[in-house]
Structure formats: C-alpha cells, structure tokens
Amino acid sequence: MSSLWLRKLALAGATLAPTSLAFSHYTQKPTQKSTALRAAPLKQCVGGTWVASSGAGTIDVEDPTTGALIGRVPEGTEADAHAALLAAKQAQPAWAKTAPAARGEALKAMARVIRANRVELAELLASEQAKVAGLAQVEIDFTAEYFDYYAGWARIYEAGEIISSDDPNEHIYLHKIPLGVSVGICPWNFPVFVMARKLAPALVTGNTCVVKTSEVTPLTCARITELWTESDDAALPPKGTYSVITGLGSTVGAALVSSPLVDIVSMTGSVATGKSIMKSAAEHMTKVSLELGGKAPAIVCADADLDLAVKGVLASRICFSGQVCNCCERVYVHESVKEAFLQKLVAAMEGTSQCPMTCSRRIHIGVKVGAPADDGVDCCGLVSSAQFDKVKGMLDRAVAAGAKVECGGTPLTNVGYGFAPTVLTNVKQSDEIVQEEVFGPVLPVLTFKTMDEAFQLACDTKFGLTSSIYTTNVDIAERAKNELRFGETYVNRENFEAIQGFHAGMRQSGIGGADGKHGLEEYLASHVVYVRRDPSAGN
C-alpha cells in the first residue's frame, strides 16, 4: 500500500481516528462496527453492465476474524473473461477519441461515488480482510484520492513531441497514444487501492480496462463497481470502458492474460504468478507491468537515531500484519548498536496483547492484535488459513535451524488467524527466513561490521522492490542511493511510497511500475509520423 495517508496512519498508530486523516469532504465518521454488509451481486460486471456468469460456480468469502461466510461471488469462466475483453475492445476507439479533460472528469466522478459510500465500503473491506478499521478507512479514502490525482493528469500529460528532421521541409511528430485494452490483476492485500492503480492511469490515457479481483477479497471491489453502475452521475465512464470480474487466477486470470485482444497486463501479486503471466503474454508479445514480491532490507547504522529506526521498522512490519510487499522484511544493524536497538525493538513488540472480541478500553503496551473494530488495535490476524500456515511453517523451520525467538513466535487464539509479532536473531544470511518473503509479522535481525558488508548483505537477494536505511551521516545516505539496488530506498523513514513517485522493482520484484508520471506512461504507446511538405506549395 502506498501514500502519505498510510504513512501518517503508521506514524501515528492504528488507534488514530480515521477522520483525523481526512480532508474536509470526508464528513462521515466510521461507526467502527459492521452494519448489515451487502454481499456482492452474483453476476459479473461486463462493460459496466451486470450479466449472469456463463458458469454456475461460486466462490465463498469469509471473514478471517470470525470464520463466518460474509459473501459469495461468481467463480467466473473463460467465456466471462472473453466477453469483458470484447466489450473493452469495442468501446476503446470511442473512448480514445473522448477529450482527455472529459476522461479526467470521469475519474473524478468515480471518486465521488466512493466518497459518498466511504463508511460502508471500509466496514466491508475490514471484514473481508481482517484489516484494522482505521487502515481500511484510509484505503477507501485514498482510493478516491488516487482517482482524483490521475484526473489531474488529464490536461497535463504530454501527448507527444516534435523531433528535428534532417530534411528542412519535414517535421517528425512523436505521438503518445493509448495502448488499447488493459487488464488489471489485483491482489488480496490492498484490493481496492490496487484496483484504482489499474483503472485510473489506464482510463485517463484513453485505454479501456478489465479488472480481475482477488478471489480471496473480492467483495469491496465488487460493491464499488455496483455503486458506480447504480449511480446517475453523468460524468462516469461510459458503458464498455471498464469491467470488473471475479474468478480464479487459473481460469479467468489465465484467459485474460493469454488473449490476443489485450495490449497490456498490469498485475500485482506473487513472483510465481508474474512468471506465469510473462509466459502467457509472450505468445502475443503483450506488454506486461508487474509488481511482485519483496524482501525489503532495513539497515540501521551505528550513528542512527535508534528510536526513529525502531519506530519506522515497527510501523513497516506490523502494518496489515506484515502482509505488505514493500515493507521491511529483514534488518541489518551495526554490531556496536545491536543490543540497544534490539532491546528497543523487542520492547516495542513484546507487549503484544491479544484483544478479546469484546475489548475494554484499557491501555496496552506494545503491539496489540485484535479484531478490526476493537479499540486500540494495531493489527489483526492474517488473511487466511493458507497464509497462516505459510508464516508458521517458515517460522518453525527457522527455529529448527537455530533461530532464537526474542519475542512472539506463537499463534494467537480468538483473533482469527492471529500471529504474535515476532523478532528473530541468530539467523544466517542463507536461511529461508532471510531470503524468502514471509508476508507476515516475523522479522529476522542480523548484524554487520562495515558499510561495505551492509550493502552487500542487503543486496544479496533475488528481490529488488524496496529498501531502507537509518543514518545521520549524509555521506552514508548518498552511498545508499548508489549501492542499494532496489526500486525504492527510504532514508530515515518507514517503507511507504508516494503516488507522485514511481513504484517499481528490480530483479524478481517485477518489471514496469505504477504511480506518478511514469506510471501513467506505462499505458501509452509511441506513434511516429513523418510529414514532408512541398516547399513550392502556395507560391
């Protein structure tokens, strides 16, 4: 998840009331309890129209905190995927001819609908994800802000340039044109925000878009789509310009990314899925933009402000229970400050308290794990039993290999798939827990002697999404800029990016990127036109 919004929430703590983060147009307070949650319609949104799926299969969606069934969506079929792509293909030429300013107004309308229903959407999102209520509200609010951000690009993105020709009677025009039909594959950890990340830059540049939601967390995306289609706001994108469909990656997802109708596939998810998409897209040479896994290192230097480092690392690791691809997954601390840093870090985490489902308003020390709407909760359980098993399995193997558990290390009962935030020491660089993405609240801590060693250890990974360093030495910070081979590096702050930046990875963390000017340009192709004039014309 990105944004200054999430950064503010992380810095202030999950107990911060969501409305204190909001702009003035966010006037309605979250109720902090689930009202009657509306399940997604048992249809597919194809080209802005709800139609029955061609198959009878369905996907059940549970509340990970309680285990209760809270919704059901169509499993989807290859035929559903093809219908959505056909609608996008047919609508794209007219959408591309629409004035960019009008396309920007369409994004603003999408944002308005989200804001008008922000509380309902946040409660649904928190329930289907086991996400802290404040963080769920931030994701909804920032999704609206993301549409507005890209709406602002409608009038200012560069649609081309004039290139000098060797011929004095010729002009060379380089036009930036929409690619055509885009496909967006969304993850389960920030499904609503990433849906906006796929839709907004595609639509504003004249592309049409088909979004496939995660089968784990599809309800809020489907509900937003339902609200868009129910709205009478005339500025909303016209029929055919977008589809939002549900289904399994192995069927619906595979059909989308392998289709010859598609001009770009943008996916956020695992490395394995990204590799599969690249293979499928290669058949038709379809462009891909992939944000994949990460194993972000944090380097804590001898001169670092240790309190700041602990605050940043903690915020980065417990956000959404560690299920964030760009957040800190391993720490390298200078041996001279290891004990002091570790003492502060463990003290910040070891107060982990399990909040009962009916939590009182007492004060807790350390990280508190509970249900989304409980008072003062910092994080909840994991998103699914499969994710819980993965995290526990990696931790168990690390301990069996000799890792020392400094705090946590145990499941938590009565909070769904709860897992206590965990700090590990006595681990080796080659260990699985240091090399592979955990995607849970488990943090290995290692030491280094020299900055050369620190940079070498940090870069010793197949991933390359984000990194961070804590130092008061500007020379070390400058070295980090040049020697940390990652898509993003954060200096003296937690791992949350800004939408005007460019969220992109190196190595197996992906190809292409999102956000800002450069994220918008992912959806544009170049068309060079040579125009030679007759110098005698008009004489």
Side-chain angles (χ1 to χ4, degrees):
M1 177 63 175
S2 63
S3 85
L4 180 61
W5 288 67
L6 183 51
R7 183 184 181 204
K8 286 180 178 178
L9 184 66
L11 289 173
T15 57
L16 183 65
T19 49
S20 68
L21 292 176
F23 292 123
S24 59
H25 49 246
Y26 300 139
T27 56
Q28 190 176 14
K29 289 187 177 182
T31 64
Q32 300 299 314
K33 63 176 72 174
S34 294
T35 55
L37 298 176
R38 296 188 58 179
L42 286 173
K43 294 182 178 181
Q44 301 279 36
C45 178
V46 174
T49 300
W50 291 96
V51 299
S53 172
S54 64
T58 58
I59 298 172
D60 289 344
V61 183
E62 73 164 349
D63 179 331
T65 303
T66 65
L69 174 67
I70 58 171
R72 183 173 286 125
V73 296
E75 185 175 314
T77 65
E78 293 181 5
D80 293 346
H82 186 64
L85 291 174
L86 278 178
K89 192 72 172 179
Q90 292 167 2
Q92 196 276 326
W95 182 240
K97 292 177 182 178
T98 301
R103 299 198 296 257
E105 290 301 318
L107 266 60
K108 292 179 184 179
M110 297 172 91
R112 285 194 294 270
V113 171
I114 292 171
R115 287 197 184 97
N117 299 275
R118 61 184 290 269
V119 175
E120 172 201 346
L121 293 171
E123 291 174 346
L124 180 56
L125 183 63
S127 294
E128 71 171 324
Q129 284 196 290
K131 180 172 281 182
V132 172
L135 181 56
Q137 191 67 71
V138 166
E139 182 174 352
I140 296 299
D141 292 345
F142 191 71
T143 295
E145 204 63 32
Y146 199 83
F147 279 109
D148 277 343
Y149 170 77
Y150 268 112
W153 273 98
R155 283 190 171 94
I156 63 173
Y157 79 85
E158 295 177 0
E161 58 187 275
I162 301 175
I163 302 171
S164 297
S165 173
D166 295 338
D167 185 340
N169 296 311
E170 180 180 71
H171 281 148
I172 303 173
Y173 301 96
L174 189 151
H175 295 272
K176 292 289 187 178
I177 61 173
L179 286 168
V181 174
S182 66
V183 165
I185 308 291
C186 297
W188 50 256
N189 60 343
F190 289 94
V192 175
F193 170 71
V194 175
M195 179 173 72
R197 223 177 203 175
K198 309 306 183 189
L199 282 169
L203 291 175
V204 79
T205 49
N207 300 275
T208 50
C209 189
V210 177
V211 168
K212 190 197 89 68
T213 66
S214 166
E215 55 265 40
V216 179
T217 55
L219 297 182
T220 313
C221 290
R223 177 60 182 146
I224 289 172
T225 308
E226 186 180 32
L227 290 166
W228 283 334
T229 58
E230 289 175 347
S231 173
D232 58 2
D233 192 327
L236 283 162
K239 297 288 186 182
T241 52
Y242 69 93
S243 297
V244 178
I245 59 177
T246 57
L248 302 177
S250 58
T251 52
V252 174
L256 290 173
V257 303
S258 62
S259 172
L261 299 176
V262 178
D263 297 288
I264 180 174
V265 175
S266 177
M267 187 278 287
T268 301
S270 70
V271 173
T273 301
K275 289 180 177 180
S276 176
I277 287 174
M278 288 190 78
K279 290 178 182 178
S280 297
E283 177 68 23
H284 304 291
M285 297 300 291
T286 304
K287 181 179 179 179
V288 296
S289 180
L290 308 173
E291 185 212 331
L292 309 178
K295 190 69 181 176
I299 298 174
V300 181
C301 299
D303 65 298
D305 179 333
L306 296 186
D307 291 328
L308 176 64
V310 167
K311 189 175 183 179
V313 168
L314 181 68
S316 181
R317 183 72 312 218
I318 68 167
C319 177
F320 192 38
S321 308
Q323 301 168 119
V324 186
C325 59
N326 59 328
C327 284
C328 173
E329 281 250 344
R330 52 196 169 112
V331 175
Y332 299 95
V333 58
H334 192 273
E335 60 181 12
S336 67
V337 294
K338 174 198 171 184
E339 295 305 323
F341 172 80
L342 197 59
Q343 183 180 11
K344 291 175 180 288
L345 179 64
V346 170
M349 281 194 178
E350 71 178 353
T352 298
S353 54
Q354 182 180 320
C355 185
M357 297 298 289
T358 55
C359 187
S360 66
R361 290 182 176 274
R362 58 186 182 275
I363 297 174
H364 295 265
I365 299 173
V367 177
K368 190 171 76 172
V369 184
D374 285 339
D375 292 331
V377 166
D378 298 295
C379 58
C380 303
L382 298 169
V383 76
S384 67
S385 61
Q387 190 63 19
F388 176 89
D389 290 344
K390 177 196 172 186
V391 173
K392 186 176 185 303
M394 291 186 72
L395 177 62
D396 289 347
R397 290 190 293 275
V399 172
K404 179 183 177 183
V405 178
E406 299 288 348
C407 67
T410 58
L412 299 176
T413 59
N414 204 33
V415 285
Y417 306 111
F419 208 92
T422 301
V423 175
L424 299 178
T425 57
N426 198 37
V427 294
K428 300 185 295 295
Q429 179 69 12
S430 59
D431 287 350
E432 176 195 37
I433 203 75
V434 177
Q435 291 294 328
E436 298 295 334
E437 187 175 41
V438 180
F439 229 54
V442 178
L443 186 64
V445 178
L446 302 90
T447 61
F448 67 91
K449 291 181 173 64
T450 67
M451 290 312 304
D452 286 344
E453 182 187 15
F455 292 134
Q456 186 275 323
L457 291 171
C459 294
D460 176 26
T461 174
K462 65 184 177 184
F463 298 103
L465 190 58
T466 71
S467 57
S468 61
I469 186 167
Y470 294 86
T471 179
T472 56
N473 187 321
V474 67
D475 294 321
I476 292 176
E478 286 294 318
R479 279 194 65 186
K481 180 185 70 176
N482 294 323
E483 297 185 38
L484 286 175
R485 302 293 294 165
F486 295 85
E488 294 166 354
T489 296
Y490 306 96
V491 180
N492 294 326
R493 54 161 284 189
E494 70 299 322
N495 296 38
F496 302 124
E497 75 272 19
I499 60 172
Q500 63 268 41
F502 186 53
H503 187 51
M506 298 181 182
R507 298 184 289 280
Q508 292 192 36
S509 286
I511 183 171
D515 303 335
K517 170 186 175 181
H518 300 288
L520 179 144
E521 289 176 345
E522 291 281 294
Y523 293 89
L524 294 171
S526 297
H527 181 201
V528 179
V529 180
Y530 297 81
V531 179
R532 180 174 294 161
R533 67 183 181 86
D534 180 356
S536 65
N539 290 336

